[in-house]
């Protein structure tokens, strides 16, 4: 791998991600100004977390990280392999989305149990979930076509895709006299259709048009699923931890889910701009160096990825810790979002910020694990992280009464522990390449 190409692709991906994050901020600013930390805003941030978490499983998280190296390994059988994955993905999504639409109350009871004490909020959450959940079908297909682009080292369109999402929600919000859950839900579905149209067109341009294929190649599918199942933990573990925080937050005072959501959005900025970009760009090249057992090139990529993600995460975390209140005031203190909301959001932002160096570099670690087909490491780390977060959430909320800040601190502790364990596993992979030569 040429490092110059690595950085060129990373910068290109980061540029489009930056544009997306800017529009994402504008979207959040408009929503905060129009809704404040209200019950409607709480319903939006809590319920939309549900398809977002499953998107991490079916979509750009688990699917992308496991499919990209599998396409590279499939080589001349890649088209048949992709058609088989498309068939499985399409069928599974139709069944799963249908189930959620039929039994929305079940998912609200699981993911937002605190809403049950307020019948009006509970009904609004149920109706909103039914409206927005088909988005998971659309965005998962987007991820499928995005993985094809990544395997051919076309990263820019994948990075630009979220821009369409944020722009669509902004347009719908600005064109509405009153921002309701119905308008938000409709804008989400329109955004998903636009994202799918873009990535489908690019994949067709690159020579792939999907078709159903029920003649499954067990060998190729076994390789893919050996990555995909553990990838669910790797790609979704942070979102799962945040979702656990949101579940607990549904029991707290009104506004807690919104405060957590906005602080998490700021944490996602450096993660998406740098952590995801570097991990995604490095994945196909890491796969090739490991297949070739090129230890020197592997160590070069490992050093570049780890040092850059950790340093960027550290600097970002220090910035947020020192200037959290000023950042929240500048970005969100408008309309219905008042000074009290600023202080509450800033406190959870600081708690999340301590984890940034570990969260960013963990994104890169996951790419190393999938490139090396060391999926058992991902399972171990994911389980430990989730269990740690669950336990600490209970301790910080019910024993120390830290409120929404305690939820953010629990996520930070879980991320730090996962990073330390990942270092040990990375060392074992490096030794394995040495022995294989």
């Amino acid at each position: 791998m040429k490092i110059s190409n690595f950085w060129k692709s990373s910068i290109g991906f980061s540029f489009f991600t930056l544009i997306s994050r800017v529009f994402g901020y504008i979207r959040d600013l408009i929503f905060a100004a129009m809704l404040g930390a209200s019950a409607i805003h709480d319903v939006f941030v809590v319920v939309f977390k549900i398809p977002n978490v499953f998107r991490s499983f079916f979509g750009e998280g688990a699917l992308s990280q496991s499919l990209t190296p599998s396409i590279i390994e499939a080589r001349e059988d890649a088209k048949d392999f992709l058609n088989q994955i498309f068939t499985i993905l399409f069928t599974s999504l139709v069944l799963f989305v249908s189930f959620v639409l039929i039994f929305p109350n079940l998912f609200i009871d699981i993911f937002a149990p605190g809403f049950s004490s307020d019948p009006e909020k509970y009904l609004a959450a149920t109706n909103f979930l039914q409206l927005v959940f088909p988005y998971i079908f659309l965005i998962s297909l987007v991820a499928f076509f995005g993985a094809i682009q990544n395997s051919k080292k076309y990263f820019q369109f994948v990075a630009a895709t979220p821009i369409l999402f944020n722009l669509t929600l902004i347009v719908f919000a600005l064109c509405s006299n009153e921002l309701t859950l119905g308008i938000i839900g409709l804008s989400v579905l329109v955004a998903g259709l636009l994202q799918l149209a873009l990535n489908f067109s690019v994949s067709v341009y690159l020579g792939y048009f999907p078709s159903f294929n029920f003649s499954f190649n067990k060998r190729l599918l076994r390789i893919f699923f050996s990555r995909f199942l553990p990838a669910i933990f790797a790609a979704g573990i942070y979102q799962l931890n945040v979702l656990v925080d949101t579940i607990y937050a549904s029991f707290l005072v009104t506004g807690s889910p919104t405060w957590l959501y906005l602080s998490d959005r700021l944490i996602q900025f450096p993660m998406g701009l740098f952590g995801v970009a570097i991990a995604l760009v490095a994945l196909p090249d890491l796969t090739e160096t490991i297949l070739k057992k090129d230890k020197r090139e592997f160590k070069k990529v490992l050093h570049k990825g780890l040092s850059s993600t950790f340093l960027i995460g550290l600097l970002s975390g220090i910035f947020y810790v020192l200037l959290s209140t000023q950042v929240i005031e500048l970005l969100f203190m408008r309309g219905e979002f008042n000074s009290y909301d600023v202080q509450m959001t800033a406190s959870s932002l600081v708690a999340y910020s301590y984890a940034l160096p570990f969260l960013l570099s963990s994104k890169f670690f996951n790419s190393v694990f999938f490139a090396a087909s060391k999926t058992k490491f991902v399972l171990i780390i994911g389980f430990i992280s989730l269990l740690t977060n669950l336990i600490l959430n209970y301790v910080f909320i019910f024993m120390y009464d830290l409120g929404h800040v305690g939820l953010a601190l629990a996520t930070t502790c879980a991320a730090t522990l996962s990073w330390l364990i990942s270092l040990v596993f990375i060392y074992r992979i490096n030794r394995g390449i040495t022995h294989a030569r």
Side-chain angles (χ1 to χ4, degrees), residues 55-67 224 227-228 230-233 235-236 370:
R55 185 182 75 178
S56 297
F57 297 162
F58 293 104
E60 74 267 26
L63 185 64
S64 294
Q65 284 192 307
S66 52
L67 186 55
F224 167 72
R227 288 187 171 103
F228 178 69
I232 289 176
F233 285 88
F370 288 116

Side-chain angles (χ1 to χ4, degrees), residues 279-347:
L280 184 65
V281 169
L283 181 56
D285 294 299
L286 281 167
T287 303
E288 292 174 358
T289 58
I290 290 175
L291 287 174
K292 295 176 182 177
K293 296 181 173 57
D294 189 342
K295 178 178 173 58
R296 179 179 298 179
E297 192 65 24
F298 172 79
K299 290 184 68 174
K300 189 183 296 184
V301 181
L302 181 63
H303 178 265
K304 288 283 185 181
L306 174 56
S307 60
S308 58
T309 50
F310 191 89
L311 179 61
I312 292 170
L314 181 62
L315 294 175
S316 301
I318 292 173
F319 174 79
Y320 281 149
V321 168
L322 296 178
L323 300 172
S324 59
T325 301
Q326 292 86 340
V327 168
I328 301 299
E329 285 181 348
L330 176 65
L331 296 180
F332 299 115
M333 190 174 172
R334 291 168 181 82
E336 296 296 318
F337 200 83
N338 55 40
S339 58
Y340 177 73
D341 296 323
V342 168
Q343 293 302 318
M344 293 298 99
T345 306
S347 61

Side-chain angles (χ1 to χ4, degrees), residues 30-31 34-35 40 172-173 176-181 183-184:
I30 293 171
F31 278 36
M34 297 180 73
L35 301 175
I40 291 178
F172 270 76
S176 61
N177 295 325
E178 181 183 1
L179 188 58
T180 64
L181 289 173
I183 291 174
I184 296 172

Side-chain angles (χ1 to χ4, degrees), residues 11-260:
I11 292 171
F13 188 97
S14 294
F15 172 76
F16 285 106
T17 303
L18 174 61
I19 301 300
S20 173
R21 297 292 176 174
V22 170
F23 283 114
Y25 156 67
I26 296 173
R27 183 200 80 198
D28 288 335
L29 173 62
I30 293 171
F31 278 36
M34 297 180 73
L35 301 175
S38 63
I40 291 178
H41 207 170
D42 282 355
V43 169
F44 166 66
V45 299
V46 170
V47 174
F48 196 59
K49 274 285 193 300
I50 300 174
N52 265 339
V53 167
F54 286 107
R55 185 182 75 178
S56 297
F57 297 162
F58 293 104
E60 74 267 26
L63 185 64
S64 294
Q65 284 192 307
S66 52
L67 186 55
T68 297
S70 298
I71 295 172
I72 295 173
E73 290 186 24
R75 295 178 179 137
E76 65 273 6
D77 298 320
K79 187 173 183 179
D80 287 338
F81 168 68
L82 285 171
N83 285 335
Q84 293 166 37
I85 295 298
F86 176 78
T87 302
I88 295 172
L89 180 66
F90 188 95
T91 305
S92 301
L93 286 170
V94 168
L95 294 174
F96 180 59
V97 171
S98 298
F99 180 79
V100 175
L101 295 181
I102 296 171
F103 303 104
N105 300 70
L106 174 63
F107 286 82
I108 296 299
D109 290 338
I110 294 174
F111 295 110
F115 285 178
S116 60
S117 61
D118 186 336
E120 185 176 348
K121 185 182 287 188
Y122 183 85
L123 179 62
T126 302
N127 293 336
F128 185 63
L129 178 62
Q130 286 181 304
L131 181 58
V132 300
F133 202 81
Y135 177 72
I136 184 63
F137 176 82
L138 301 172
I139 201 62
S140 297
L141 293 181
V142 168
F144 172 79
F145 293 120
I148 296 171
Q149 297 169 52
N150 293 342
S151 68
K152 297 179 180 295
K153 301 183 181 180
Y154 281 77
F155 303 104
Q156 285 74 14
F157 290 102
V158 176
T161 298
I163 297 175
L164 290 174
F165 179 85
N166 291 319
L167 271 176
T168 305
L169 267 65
I170 289 170
V171 170
F172 270 76
L174 292 178
C175 292
S176 61
N177 295 325
E178 181 183 1
L179 188 58
T180 64
L181 289 173
I183 291 174
I184 296 172
L186 180 60
S187 66
V188 168
L189 295 181
V190 173
L193 288 169
L194 292 175
Q195 290 174 301
L196 179 57
L198 171 64
N199 284 272
F200 174 79
S201 301
V202 175
S203 295
V204 171
Y205 172 78
L206 295 176
Y208 175 73
F209 189 94
S211 63
F212 292 104
N213 184 350
F214 292 93
S215 300
F216 298 127
N217 185 319
K218 293 182 180 180
R219 182 185 65 84
L220 292 177
L221 291 178
R222 189 180 300 113
I223 294 173
F224 167 72
F225 281 108
S226 68
R227 288 187 171 103
F228 178 69
L229 296 178
I232 289 176
F233 285 88
I237 198 62
Y238 179 75
Q239 287 296 333
L240 273 176
N241 283 331
V242 173
L243 179 60
V244 168
D245 295 346
T246 307
I247 293 172
Y248 277 93
S250 71
F251 289 99
L252 302 177
V253 297
T254 296
S256 296
T258 299
W259 302 327
L260 277 173

